[in-house]
Amino acid sequence: MEISAREIHDKEFHDAWRGYNQEEVDDFLDKIAETLDRLQRENVALQRRLGELDQTVSTSRTTEDMLKQTLVSAQQAAEEAVAKAKAKADQLLQEAEERSRQANEVTAAKLAEAEADITRRIGEGDRRHELRKHELEQSIERLKTYETDLKERLKGFLEGQLKAVDTLESHARHASGHHQPSREAHSPPPVQRPQKSPASTSP
């Protein structure tokens, strides 16, 4: 049974023969009541303090749980951010590699086209060169043929002229023994101009 300080203070004892000193008992009971009252106040203060500490501990635990949850969430968010950044980097790398491959293919195609164009132009130049060479060779052959024909005709013309001169001299010697022939009777035959050969057409 619990006894409060008030009960101790109000407690009354009956007189008995050969009992205790009433004043000493009252003083002692007053001291006990004061001590008990002080202890009860301290107990209440301690209980209140304990409640505050429990509340603080509960709050601290709640805060700790929140911090742990926040830390876990932050760690998950960081891991997700790292994963997304890595995936984005891989995607950008793949896109860069693809663009580089396409650029290399375009460059290779343009290079092949340029080489083919150069080869074609060289081939056309060679063909034109060969055609021009063939035309010049044909022109030279025609000129040689014309030169040979001209020489032959000039030779025939000169031989004809020499024969005509010989004939004139022969007639002159024969006529000197009889009578002087007239100039018109013994005039040399007209000189024939050589005609151009069809091969003389300039290239």
Side-chain angles (χ1 to χ4, degrees), residues 50-67:
L50 181 61
E52 293 176 353
L53 290 176
D54 289 340
Q55 183 66 29
T56 302
V57 169
S58 177
T59 304
S60 298
R61 288 178 178 174
T62 302
T63 304
E64 182 180 359
D65 292 339
M66 292 177 61
L67 290 175

Side-chain angles (χ1 to χ4, degrees), residues 9-27:
H9 186 273
D10 294 339
K11 178 67 178 177
E12 293 181 358
F13 295 94
H14 299 286
D15 293 334
W17 181 76
R18 297 185 66 181
Y20 291 101
N21 188 319
Q22 186 68 33
E23 292 182 357
E24 290 180 355
V25 172
D26 290 341
D27 290 340

